[in-house]
Amino acid sequence: PRSTLFPYTTLFRSPKGVRDPAVASCDHWCVADPGRRDVVDVSYDNPDQPRLGLEVMSFTTLRERLRPSVATAPSRLDFHTLTLITRGEGTALIDFVAYPCAPGTLLHIRPGQVQRFPATPQGDIADLDATLVLFTPAYPPLVPASAAVTDEGFSPTAFALRPTEYQAISAAVAEMAAEYDALRERDAARTELTVELLRQLLAALLLRIARLPHPGEWDPAAGGEVNRAFRRELERAFATRRNAGQYAARLGYAPRTLTRACLAATGRPV
């Protein structure tokens, strides 16, 4: 049997490019049949604004569209998802690592990561108040300082925001939500301006995230562009490329340059 997650149902093309009767695709989220434990690839698709590479929605709206039998299905996204939690608790699973969710938690799921919706200890989808900002990799303006958030494969996935950080991030997200909702009510000329405003507001939000204190040893500036390029390439090709010299040659650097960058960033050689 096929499982339906959202009311707007389209046929999903599986990773092998064939029609898979055990997989349904709806809006942004795809789910596998409850009897299967597949990780399902999910492509971005905004049913409300088909030409817009961004959507802002509440977790309540997401819960209303979900069927309980498929809410815990794992999926791999090809777009970014920022989730700011304002009420409730649960545990999100991102790349098979559990992240506790509570008021003040900010989650960032990047393209290629596997996620499961925040859930209760019993496995049900959590009862949360949260706002989700979904966007394609091409949507944000090219702002070098925010690349550490959008392009860095090793950037943090979860932040426990302090009160002042939460206030700033919450205000930024709320302004985006208000402008997104206003798209439905504006004429074509004003819509074009609002779309550009949303891009700039997203850039500002990403810059706020980039300057948050980062948990652990991650420092977006350490090692410079050499280390950032190496991390992006490592994230892309780790399954097939294991030799440091191959990475250096691919990036156009000498192996010792790559080693110096890794030492500056992590204290360890490549």
Side-chain angles (χ1 to χ4, degrees):
R2 296 184 54 165
S3 301
T4 303
L5 181 60
F6 285 75
Y8 314 92
T9 304
T10 58
L11 184 64
F12 175 75
R13 188 172 65 183
S14 73
K16 295 182 180 179
V18 299
R19 294 171 182 255
D20 187 342
V23 176
S25 161
C26 313
D27 296 352
H28 299 285
W29 307 100
C30 299
V31 298
D33 180 88
R36 294 174 52 168
R37 306 309 300 171
D38 302 36
V39 174
V40 181
D41 287 314
V42 182
S43 296
Y44 180 86
D45 180 22
N46 184 340
D48 295 327
Q49 302 287 340
R51 300 174 62 181
L52 186 64
L54 175 139
E55 182 177 12
V56 184
M57 64 188 300
S58 69
F59 196 77
T60 299
T61 299
L62 179 64
R63 282 177 55 89
E64 290 172 351
R65 297 179 183 179
L66 285 169
R67 288 188 175 183
S69 60
V70 296
T72 57
S75 55
R76 183 187 296 108
L77 316 182
D78 73 351
F79 53 93
H80 294 268
T81 302
L82 296 170
T83 303
L84 179 64
I85 297 169
T86 57
R87 184 195 63 81
E89 297 182 349
T91 300
L93 198 64
I94 304 172
D95 278 352
F96 307 102
V97 177
Y99 293 93
C101 299
T105 298
L106 175 66
L107 301 175
H108 178 203
I109 304 171
R110 297 181 303 278
Q113 291 189 300
V114 175
Q115 69 90 38
R116 187 199 65 189
F117 298 110
T120 66
Q122 293 73 34
D124 301 320
I125 189 167
D127 180 16
L128 303 176
D129 285 343
T131 303
L132 288 77
V133 178
L134 289 64
F135 60 96
T136 63
Y139 188 77
L142 296 177
V143 180
S146 67
V149 178
T150 56
D151 299 340
E152 179 58 74
F154 292 86
S155 61
T157 294
F159 297 88
L161 301 177
R162 294 176 296 191
T164 54
E165 297 164 350
Y166 172 78
Q167 184 177 10
I169 297 291
S170 178
V173 170
E175 185 174 9
M176 290 190 67
E179 292 294 339
Y180 181 83
D181 289 342
L183 282 174
R184 301 185 181 92
E185 304 170 3
R186 292 183 171 158
D187 57 35
R190 297 185 67 189
T191 293
E192 184 177 349
L193 291 173
T194 302
V195 168
E196 182 58 32
L197 176 58
L198 282 167
R199 294 182 73 243
Q200 301 303 322
L201 290 174
L202 177 59
L205 175 59
L206 293 173
L207 288 173
R208 291 184 182 279
I209 295 172
R211 72 179 186 180
L212 289 173
H214 298 98
E217 300 178 355
W218 187 78
D219 180 351
E225 178 57 33
V226 175
N227 183 59
R228 287 193 292 271
F230 170 59
R231 289 189 174 203
R232 287 193 295 267
E233 184 65 16
L234 181 64
E235 181 76 4
R236 188 188 70 82
F238 71 92
T240 58
R241 190 175 296 138
R242 307 293 177 85
N243 183 278
Q246 292 177 320
Y247 283 99
R250 169 73 177 176
L251 296 171
Y253 297 114
R256 68 181 64 183
T257 301
L258 203 58
T259 297
R260 284 197 298 267
C262 290
L263 284 170
T266 67
R268 297 186 295 272
V270 63

